[in-house]
Amino acid sequence: MQHGPAVRRRKLGAELRALRAGSGLTSGQAARQLGWHQSKVSRIETGTSGVKPADVERLLDAYGVEDQELRQLLVVLAGSEGNGRHHWWHAYRGVLPPAYRDFISLESGASGMRTLETSVVPGLLQTPDYARAVTRAAVDGLEESKLDALVEVRLARQDVLRSDPPLRLSAVLDEAVLRREVGGPEVMARQLCRLREAATLPQVRLQVLPFAAGAHIGVTGPFVIFSFPNTTDLDVVVLDHLTSSLYLERKEDLQAYTEAFNALQFHALSPEDSLDYIAGIADGA
């Protein structure tokens, strides 16, 4: 288990090492071509030190990498946009914990997201009022200005579902998510309506795991699996805790959580039946 930044550095370094090897260059040759010490290339490839986005661009040029999606992804993992501008969430660094910033960074670069939620609606599908109620409950004594900022961040994150191409979201929601009244009846009613609307989007697959399904493999808690374009080597599982997040990136962990998610999808209602189920709860059935 590692925290987000360490995982990103290691994954980025491993990918750059593979690209260098594929180009036929040794680390020494790459370093000389860029006017660096060989130790700099080695530190980057082993993930022991960070790397600036501009240096990632130079390495990719040296290795002859022309795939724009792959280039953009690796630059995102380095922590900034390929055009040199900061990510939008950097404006909120004063209120966002580092672990949350790292989560958003991964989310922004991912092509797919699979998530099990056992308590609350996924952040990408929350209404403003629901997001405010959840945030206020999660962070005790939060100043109103910081609460506003955190809600803004939550809503801005949802742009990944409208990007080109959009993030593909597959979500399995325990029935408790739909039954737990967050923010009062009116807020919850609008949130259930929002879920029904989101479920009709082609990039969103929403399934409900009803109480009738009994105990399931997800009872130990929610998790997220991020997938990235062009390579599975960068995929990562995120486990949320009260004060931090843990990132699992070993192949054994990824396989275990992927199998768990597939099992949850199998036992959950179909997307069509899930829509009807949500509608029934919304109507008070």
Side-chain angles (χ1 to χ4, degrees):
M1 292 186 185
Q2 300 184 55
H3 292 287
V7 170
R8 283 200 308 174
R9 288 197 303 268
R10 194 200 66 78
K11 287 181 174 292
L12 176 59
E15 188 68 14
L16 290 172
R17 182 171 60 249
L19 291 171
R20 174 183 56 73
S23 73
L25 293 175
T26 66
S27 59
Q29 289 170 333
R32 285 193 295 273
Q33 188 169 329
L34 296 172
W36 299 347
H37 290 293
Q38 183 177 356
S39 60
K40 179 174 180 176
V41 175
S42 297
R43 289 195 304 273
I44 290 172
E45 292 185 352
T46 58
T48 55
S49 67
V51 54
K52 296 178 181 179
D55 285 344
V56 170
E57 293 274 20
R58 295 184 64 192
L59 287 168
L60 296 177
D61 289 341
Y63 304 157
V65 178
E66 297 180 354
D67 186 321
Q68 292 303 311
E69 285 189 2
L70 179 58
R71 290 179 68 102
Q72 182 180 7
L73 170 60
L74 297 180
V75 169
V76 165
L77 287 177
S80 186
E81 297 279 8
N83 58 17
R85 294 179 303 181
H86 290 309
H87 285 313
W88 60 264
W89 59 87
H90 285 198
Y92 298 91
R93 64 166 56 91
V95 296
L96 294 181
Y100 192 16
R101 294 200 302 268
D102 202 66
F103 182 91
I104 298 173
S105 179
L106 288 172
E107 185 178 72
S108 71
S111 59
M113 177 178 175
R114 287 163 286 177
T115 181
L116 166 69
E117 288 292 350
T118 58
S119 298
V120 297
V121 171
L124 296 183
L125 302 179
Q126 292 178 6
T127 65
D129 290 337
Y130 185 98
R132 178 174 293 275
V134 165
T135 304
R136 180 179 282 118
V139 187
D140 188 44
L142 194 63
E143 297 176 8
E144 200 66 22
S145 60
K146 290 186 177 180
L147 175 62
D148 290 342
L150 289 173
V151 172
E152 287 177 14
V153 169
R154 184 68 55 89
L155 300 179
R157 283 175 47 203
Q158 298 176 3
D159 284 344
V160 295
L161 294 176
R162 297 182 288 269
S163 60
D164 185 19
L167 176 79
R168 299 189 309 275
L169 174 64
S170 294
V172 174
L173 308 184
D174 190 272
E175 184 172 344
V177 172
L178 309 176
R179 298 285 184 185
R180 178 171 288 105
E181 191 174 281
V182 174
E186 293 184 2
V187 170
M188 202 63 204
R190 288 193 293 271
Q191 179 60 71
L192 292 175
C193 181
R194 166 63 179 145
L195 285 177
R196 294 165 66 186
E197 293 172 353
T200 64
L201 297 174
Q203 66 270 35
V204 175
R205 179 184 176 90
L206 189 63
Q207 292 179 257
V208 174
L209 196 63
F211 289 148
H216 54 77
I217 198 168
V219 295
T220 54
F223 60 86
V224 173
I225 306 173
F226 284 122
S227 300
F228 294 89
N230 302 304
T231 176
T232 60
D233 290 339
L234 296 173
D235 292 358
V236 62
V237 176
V238 185
L239 306 178
D240 270 341
H241 294 267
L242 183 61
T243 58
S244 65
S245 296
L246 291 177
Y247 295 71
L248 310 179
E249 39 83 32
R250 296 187 309 162
K251 289 185 177 180
E252 307 94 291
D253 295 326
L254 288 166
Q255 181 177 353
Y257 276 90
T258 297
E259 291 175 354
F261 190 79
N262 291 341
L264 289 165
Q265 285 190 310
F266 177 79
H267 291 292
L269 300 175
S270 69
E272 295 76 18
D273 289 343
S274 294
L275 263 176
D276 293 338
Y277 205 81
I278 295 171
I281 293 176
D283 293 338

